[in-house]
Amino acid sequence: MTKTERGAHVQQSDQASQPHSHLGATVPPQPSIAIPPSQSNPPARWLLKRLALVAAAAVSTAIGMTVAMMVPLPTGVASSTEGEKSPNGSLWQSGFQYQVGRPVNILVMGIDRVPQAKAGSKELFNGRSDTMLLLRVDPTDDSVKLLSIPRDTQVSIPTVGVTKVNDANVRGGSELAARTVSGLLNGISIDRYVRVDTAAFRELVDLLGGVEVYVPEKMSYVDQTQKLKIDLSPGLQTLNGDQAEQFARFRQDAYGDIGRVQRQQTLLKALLKRLTNPLVLPRLPGLVSAMQKYIDTNLSLEEMIALTSAGRKLSQGNFKMVMLPGRFSNPDEFVASYWIMNPEGRDRVLRQYFDVEAMDAATNQLRTQDLRVAIQNASSKPDAANELRAYLSNQGFSNVYIASDWSDKQKQTQIIAQQGDLSSAEMVQKLLNAGRVAADSTGDLDSDLTIRLGDDWVFPAK
């Protein structure tokens, strides 16, 4: 593990107060960034700040899934005064000097609504984290990676004890939440945080004119706990803000919170697609004023500017998502229901997505015979799944099963790295000579890899 990956370091913004001690390490004040003369006049800075806040809110996904990647990032990470330059050049435009100089990890939390809290007040962000994401912006390969951490993940919170990870923010705010996540992930550094009130999501989707999502099944019931009426029909459709929230919060299936994580990733991809649509640009002014009251972050204005172009890379497809590998706890294990992290799976994800060496260097990709491979037929060929299962069995895969057909027919096959094992997914892609690797966790939950067959699948000649 490199020095930059040790310890969680959550630095405070200009609005936040003094440097604080974090995980035993003193967090130094952020170095200043020289602002080019062209930006020094107040109107220009006001406009940039507004646009930066849009970015921070722009990628807010289901229930507060905000990924401030369309525009935000760190001064302490790269500044013109430090003489550091990204190998990819400026991340803003030719007249600006703000750059992302090294990989940066940002903790993004969607915070449950706090009763009686007023919009714009700090109390708005004192609730539990309904959504928790670790976002990595990496200028070395122009990539953005996102780790979804299920809110029911079992953790040991300093000064609190064993509980669910979503309890960290309500117990000790963003600092304790960052500390807890860092401890869960082998001490990975956390450079900044973004907290978003979950009420932002519905408004954001409406301002964007809706998002196109495939709803896989009928969703209809009244959720008394969430005070939400859910009524969605299956099929590909454009969801408004209210419907998108229903889709994200639906929980009447066998997978509970983990199914919600999958739907949140689906919504995130739909939001990113919408945000990169040129027709959305005229809506930015309304988006700005609507979103800024829902966001709390220690990203500075200069950092947000540096992240803008990094966020634009998302539209070029270099965006990978994964869910923290694990399992549901058994009813007789604990009083509460938990998501129990798989340490080997975590180490694999940290190595392949976050460039963190595993504590156990022997952790490698799973052997062919150990891979749990699910096959979903999304093609127009009725026998495709059986053909593929037979083929993989002949190739040495001993744990292959057929999952329910995927009713949204696809032209191209997907090899979904459900547990984050990109190496194995790429190996299977080469073996099939078809499809593409999907770096997300939207496949069958019991699998290591889910192969969603499209019409491009052709049974190899014997």
Side-chain angles (χ1 to χ4, degrees), residues 176-411:
L176 184 58
R179 246 174 162 184
T180 302
V181 171
S182 176
L184 180 71
L185 303 178
N186 289 346
I188 193 171
S189 65
I190 297 178
D191 302 286
R192 297 293 186 271
Y193 74 85
V194 177
R195 295 189 295 181
V196 182
D197 173 26
T198 57
F201 177 66
R202 182 185 305 193
E203 193 167 349
L204 173 63
V205 172
D206 283 335
L207 284 168
L208 290 173
V211 290
E212 189 176 61
V213 171
Y214 176 73
V215 181
E217 61 181 300
K218 175 72 174 175
M219 300 178 177
S220 182
Y221 71 102
V222 176
D223 191 318
Q224 300 294 349
T225 303
Q226 301 181 96
K227 296 180 173 56
L228 187 67
K229 180 180 179 181
I230 295 177
D231 187 17
L232 297 175
S233 298
L236 183 65
Q237 56 201 283
T238 298
L239 304 181
N240 62 26
D242 178 63
Q243 293 168 327
E245 184 176 18
Q246 293 176 41
F247 180 78
R249 287 182 175 268
F250 177 75
R251 56 172 63 162
Q252 270 199 352
D253 59 15
Y255 301 120
D257 182 46
I258 305 308
R260 293 178 67 189
V261 169
Q262 290 190 308
R263 287 186 290 277
Q264 289 167 3
Q265 289 194 1
T266 297
L267 278 168
L268 179 55
K269 288 192 290 186
L271 275 171
L272 290 173
K273 182 178 179 181
R274 187 68 179 146
L275 284 163
T276 53
N277 187 326
L279 296 177
V280 169
L281 291 177
R283 297 196 179 103
L284 285 181
L287 195 62
V288 173
S289 59
M291 291 297 106
Q292 57 184 318
K293 62 180 178 290
Y294 295 119
I295 300 170
D296 170 55
T297 181
N298 63 350
L299 285 160
S300 71
L301 170 62
E302 291 79 13
E303 295 172 341
M304 291 181 183
I305 293 172
L307 272 184
T308 305
S309 292
R312 289 174 183 164
K313 300 294 182 183
L314 298 178
S315 63
Q316 299 174 17
N318 204 359
F319 178 42
K320 297 179 174 66
M321 294 189 289
V322 65
M323 182 174 66
L324 183 68
R327 64 171 178 85
F328 294 106
S329 62
N330 297 318
D332 57 350
E333 279 187 284
F334 308 99
V335 175
S337 174
Y338 289 109
W339 180 250
I340 307 298
M341 179 190 66
N342 178 328
E344 289 185 356
R346 171 203 58 195
D347 291 348
R348 183 174 60 247
V349 165
L350 289 176
R351 186 178 64 255
Q352 294 191 10
Y353 289 73
F354 291 84
D355 297 324
V356 177
E357 287 301 320
M359 290 183 173
D360 178 5
T363 303
N364 296 308
Q365 73 180 59
L366 295 172
R367 296 178 301 171
T368 297
Q369 59 266 38
D370 295 330
L371 279 170
R372 293 168 297 168
V373 180
I375 303 173
Q376 289 181 330
N377 191 6
S379 76
S380 56
K381 306 168 187 175
D383 295 329
N386 286 322
E387 288 180 351
L388 178 57
R389 181 171 62 176
Y391 175 69
L392 290 177
S393 178
N394 289 333
Q395 298 298 316
F397 291 82
S398 58
N399 196 354
V400 180
Y401 61 96
I402 297 177
S404 299
D405 287 356
W406 190 250
S407 54
D408 184 22
K409 299 304 180 185
Q410 296 183 174
K411 293 182 178 180

Side-chain angles (χ1 to χ4, degrees), residues 321-325 345 348-350 352-353 416-425 438-441 447-449:
M321 294 189 289
V322 65
M323 182 174 66
L324 183 68
R348 183 174 60 247
V349 165
L350 289 176
Q352 294 191 10
Y353 289 73
I416 301 170
Q418 179 65 32
Q419 302 292 333
D421 190 350
L422 291 172
S423 298
S424 293
D440 58 46
S441 298
S447 70
D448 294 309
L449 301 177

